[in-house]
Amino acid sequence: MGRGTVQVLLLLGLLHWGPGGEGRKNWRRRGQQPAAAAAARERSEATGQPVESFPLDFTAVEGNMDSFMAQIKSLAQSLYPCSAQNLHHELRLHLLLNSSVTCNDGSPAGYYLKESKGSRRWLLFLEGGWYCFNRENCDTRYDTMRRLMSSKEWPITKTGTGILSSQPEENPHWWNANMVFIPYCSSDVWSGASSKSEKNEYAFMGALIIEEVVKELVGKGLSNAKVLLLAGSSAGGTGVLLNVDRVAEQLEEMGYQGIQVRGLADSGWFLDNKQYRRTDCIDTITCAPTEAIRRGIRYWNGIVPERCKLQFKEGEEWNCFFGYKIYPTLRCPVFVVQWLFDEAQLTVDNVHLTGQPVQEGQWLYIQNLGRELRNTLKDVTASFAPACLSHEIITRNHWTDIQVKGTSLPRALHCWDRSLHDSNKNGKAPLKGCPIHLIDSCPWPHCNPSCPTIRDQFTGQEMNVIQFLMHMGFDVQKMAQQQGLEPSKLLGMLSSGS
């Protein structure tokens, strides 16, 4: 009998002889229908009460442990009503009670919540979705992406995925947390503090929305939290860097000093580098990142953390929107997740991979981008940076598949949790075999074999890493010569992700 089977049988014993100790539930193999149980079912149907019946197929232990564990989970939730909350995987919409804190168009901002009774961990997720920085491109955004500027058509419920999933198979370490999804409707990288008025066609209240959500959640159980993880992707990831200390300070001022506030920034660590090809600043796609944020922060009345603001001259607060500049000023621990070849970064740098082979200059620029980004992460304590061409990861249902140096992202986050717990407890060094600083060292996009699948933009067919690099104009002969390798050996290294 395997160790897993023993653990399961022990769990069954604990559940059977757990609180109450009376073994009131009926345990039997599938298909067995004792007379007492049948009578109980008839009584239950007559009174409209739920039937207490938990058939278990013990043959599953021999063939499919996953299937058997799924039955155990369902049984445990049925036995303990407080944990049955986890059966409802959807997050439900709550519009803010303070109607003066709004989306761009003046409609009330809000959040989606799925409570997990008994859990003292809270995960607040900031949605991403670019931004706009003047009347013209905000008007265009309103016409084409209205749900990112208004709450009027938000659905009543949402299903969490990735780190917001309530399924332990998809979200191994955070599935049982209280989940909060805060939709992005302020178009200001979660930094704005200006309301709609006769002078201002749009409100930009991203920073105030976070503040108001935290206030409301305190009355819904956040006051009893042990850990609050402020997470976000893309513009939401940058929003984490801008707001994680503010959330910690807000809770301290409200008298909740015991809550450990942490940040998880996904795909929001942008570089203020020189564009591959300079273009006029018309919208967020064509405008250099520094210029777009410089204009935006004035238009939004954007606010940045005071500790970062003091590092720069007046009028230079835009620097705080770039991860490697704000990170050293943060007090709260932050875990940074960043693709080394981020698609959004390449877009604002005017490297457009349209399916045509890239030019040599573009290829060198892309490789250099990976090096630059890698260098900015070298002093980040907790990081996960795969050498992939992609954007956003933590709410994707395949987020468990990506690995760096043999460690998955959920595993790295779990190691980070443990390291923070241990350091708070007794100042221990990071745990052996539990790495939290994971940065790919291979130099090309998708040289990591666990990268997400790439498809040909024209045919829709999947491409392996060699096909992808060839597609981009990668010269195997020339690159092998530069590396002092035989072309066949280089191809073998690429296939294995070396």
Side-chain angles (χ1 to χ4, degrees), residues 253-285:
E253 287 169 7
M254 294 176 76
Y256 304 110
Q257 293 91 343
I259 302 174
Q260 299 169 37
V261 179
R262 304 167 184 170
L264 171 58
D266 166 31
S267 302
W269 186 276
F270 293 104
L271 301 182
D272 54 343
N273 57 342
K274 187 177 178 181
Q275 290 174 295
Y276 172 67
R277 189 181 70 256
R278 194 177 184 285
T279 51
D280 292 333
C281 183
I282 299 168
D283 54 30
T284 50
I285 304 298

Side-chain angles (χ1 to χ4, degrees), residues 426-440:
N426 51 20
K428 277 188 181 177
L431 297 158
K432 286 185 178 179
C434 212
I436 59 174
H437 184 78
L438 293 155
I439 303 173
D440 262 337

Side-chain angles (χ1 to χ4, degrees), residues 311-343:
Q311 303 296 311
F312 302 99
K313 296 177 185 176
E314 189 175 345
E316 299 292 309
E317 294 87 356
W318 58 266
N319 283 283
C320 297
F321 283 72
F322 295 93
Y324 74 99
K325 294 182 177 181
I326 190 174
Y327 178 84
T329 71
L330 297 178
R331 287 176 170 159
C332 292
V334 174
F335 192 109
V336 176
V337 179
Q338 188 68 35
W339 304 107
L340 290 181
F341 304 96
D342 187 274
E343 288 174 325

Side-chain angles (χ1 to χ4, degrees), residues 116-133:
S116 181
K117 300 297 185 185
S119 174
R120 298 182 64 196
R121 298 204 298 169
W122 287 72
L123 195 160
L124 277 62
F125 179 83
L126 306 180
E127 186 184 22
W130 292 90
Y131 52 89
C132 57
F133 57 80

Side-chain angles (χ1 to χ4, degrees), residues 341-467:
F341 304 96
D342 187 274
E343 288 174 325
Q345 179 76 56
L346 287 168
T347 297
V348 297
D349 285 340
N350 283 323
V351 178
H352 302 294
L353 305 176
T354 57
Q356 299 298 319
V358 300
Q359 300 168 356
E360 185 176 4
Q362 285 178 307
W363 178 245
L364 293 173
Y365 184 93
I366 291 168
Q367 284 183 275
N368 188 60
L369 173 67
R371 280 194 296 270
E372 282 187 34
L373 208 139
R374 193 182 291 113
N375 287 337
T376 66
L377 293 170
K378 66 180 186 296
D379 295 324
V380 175
T381 305
S383 54
F384 187 89
C388 306
L389 178 71
S390 194
H391 185 61
E392 302 189 357
I393 180 62
I394 62 174
T395 56
R396 307 289 193 226
N397 52 21
H398 61 75
W399 79 301
T400 57
D401 299 336
I402 313 301
Q403 296 190 356
V404 174
K405 299 176 182 175
T407 299
S408 70
L409 178 51
R411 168 70 176 163
L413 287 170
H414 181 57
C415 290
W416 181 55
D417 269 347
R418 290 178 61 189
S419 72
L420 292 173
H421 178 264
D422 287 345
S423 63
N424 282 341
K425 199 172 177 182
N426 51 20
K428 277 188 181 177
L431 297 158
K432 286 185 178 179
C434 212
I436 59 174
H437 184 78
L438 293 155
I439 303 173
D440 262 337
S441 53
C442 60
W444 303 297
H446 266 59
C447 55
N448 177 330
S450 73
C451 287
T453 300
I454 287 186
R455 294 184 181 275
D456 186 297
Q457 291 186 341
F458 296 115
T459 67
Q461 291 184 321
E462 291 186 9
M463 294 187 285
N464 63 31
V465 66
I466 296 172
Q467 290 170 327

